[in-house]
């Protein structure tokens, strides 16, 4: 069955430091991949998405993600974290068989130290 | 433009009472619709999805049910709520359109069972 794994439940980084959030998926073909961010008490906001082509995708708020087929990974990165980036981040995959299911990882909570 | 409405925003219900959460979509036809639950620290769990009127797939056994009486309406129900049904419920649909593929989310319902 298709699945998405975010190995890190909680990550703390210092403001200005670089960030990498991990995401691994299990799927027989190349899926559509997404990263969403959820601030406290807010809904989900799309950061970026990948379908095909260039394996490095740029998103909003200075985020980028790299698709690595050999590792079944789609890690999210940011070169310099801002305090406002503190939030929960979700990796998601759309499987377009069986009518398509949008499946989320467990989420990674990001804390930013001043 | 595509929009998704979900209500109510918050709900406090006693144990054993019924539940009905409604989600409607505008600006599209025959969408894939989803119900998710977000319990504290547990990410977004897919509960139900529907690819058409009357077509419901359940992802996890539980005390809840879903129905799709109209193309753009998706309802989450329970006959008797349990304490463990508390959580944040999100309705979503996704648009499959190649590079324009994207998921849209309602604002969510915070359900507290007391």
């Amino acid at each position: 069955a298709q699945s998405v794994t975010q190995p890190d439940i909680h990550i703390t980084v210092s403001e200005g430091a670089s960030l990498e959030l991990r995401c691994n998926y299990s799927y027989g073909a190349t899926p559509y991949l997404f990263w969403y961010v959820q601030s406290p008490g807010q809904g989900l906001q799309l950061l970026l998405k990948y379908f095909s082509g260039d394996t490095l995708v740029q998103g909003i708020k200075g985020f980028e993600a790299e698709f690595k087929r050999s590792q079944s990974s789609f890690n999210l990165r940011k070169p310099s974290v801002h305090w406002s980036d503190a939030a929960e981040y979700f990796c998601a995959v759309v499987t377009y068989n069986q009518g398509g299911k949008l499946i989320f990882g467990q989420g990674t909570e990001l804390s930013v130290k001043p | 433009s595509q929009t998704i409405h979900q209500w109510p925003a918050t709900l406090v219900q006693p144990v054993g009472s019924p539940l009905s959460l409604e989600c409607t979509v505008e600006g599209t036809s025959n969408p894939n619709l989803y119900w998710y639950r977000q319990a504290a620290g547990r990410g977004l769990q897919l509960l139900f999805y529907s690819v058409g009127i009357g077509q419901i797939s359940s992802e996890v056994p539980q005390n809840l049910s879903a129905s799709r009486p109209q193309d753009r309406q998706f309802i989450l129900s329970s006959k008797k709520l349990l304490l463990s049904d508390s959580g944040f419920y999100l309705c979503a649909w996704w648009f499959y359109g190649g590079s324009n593929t994207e998921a849209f989310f309602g604002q969510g319902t915070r359900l507290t069972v007391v």
Side-chain angles (χ1 to χ4, degrees):
Chain A
Q2 296 86 359
S3 65
V4 180
T5 302
Q6 293 179 247
D8 305 306
I9 296 174
H10 190 192
I11 285 181
T12 300
V13 300
S14 298
E15 190 168 16
S18 63
L19 171 71
E20 182 169 26
L21 302 182
R22 296 184 290 166
C23 172
N24 294 96
Y25 67 91
S26 171
Y27 184 53
T30 301
Y32 292 169
L33 295 158
F34 305 82
W35 273 100
Y36 286 89
V37 60
Q38 185 182 35
S39 298
Q42 302 295 314
L44 290 167
Q45 181 181 24
L46 177 67
L47 287 175
L48 46 78
K49 56 187 176 182
Y50 172 80
F51 303 109
S52 64
D54 292 339
T55 57
L56 185 65
V57 293
Q58 302 297 321
I60 62 172
K61 303 184 178 185
F63 286 93
E64 65 179 26
E66 186 173 12
F67 170 64
K68 293 185 177 180
R69 185 190 305 275
S70 61
Q71 299 177 20
S72 297
S73 69
F74 188 55
N75 294 348
L76 182 71
R77 301 194 294 246
K78 187 170 184 177
S80 178
V81 170
H82 188 263
W83 64 267
S84 61
D85 293 325
E88 188 150 23
Y89 292 80
F90 293 96
C91 181
V93 58
V94 164
T95 66
Y96 42 84
N97 60 339
Q98 297 179 340
K101 288 195 293 185
L102 181 60
I103 299 171
F104 286 86
Q106 300 92 322
T108 297
E109 185 178 355
L110 173 65
S111 297
V112 181
K113 294 189 300 184
Chain B
S1 63
Q2 301 94 344
T3 57
I4 180 167
H5 302 281
Q6 183 182 342
W7 67 92
T10 59
L11 193 59
V12 179
Q13 292 284 95
V15 169
S17 65
L19 173 73
S20 180
L21 302 181
E22 188 164 343
C23 172
T24 59
V25 178
E26 296 179 0
T28 187
S29 60
N30 197 31
N32 291 347
L33 296 171
Y34 304 82
W35 277 111
Y36 295 89
R37 177 170 58 202
Q38 185 177 23
R42 296 185 62 183
L44 282 158
Q45 182 184 37
L46 178 61
L47 301 177
F48 300 95
Y49 75 100
S50 171
V51 300
I53 295 174
Q55 300 179 62
I56 308 295
S57 295
S58 175
E59 288 295 296
V60 294
Q62 58 201 307
N63 183 45
L64 302 168
S65 61
S67 61
R68 187 167 176 177
Q70 301 180 40
D71 180 44
R72 289 172 285 180
Q73 184 184 31
F74 203 24
I75 297 172
L76 183 69
S77 305
S78 174
K79 293 182 179 179
K80 290 184 177 181
L81 283 168
L82 306 173
L83 287 173
S84 58
D85 292 324
S86 294
F88 186 65
Y89 290 82
L90 268 176
C91 179
W93 72 276
W94 73 279
F95 166 73
Y96 175 59
S99 61
N100 294 320
T101 297
E102 186 169 346
F104 298 88
F105 296 90
Q107 287 304 300
T109 297
R110 175 76 57 190
L111 172 65
T112 304
V113 182
V114 297

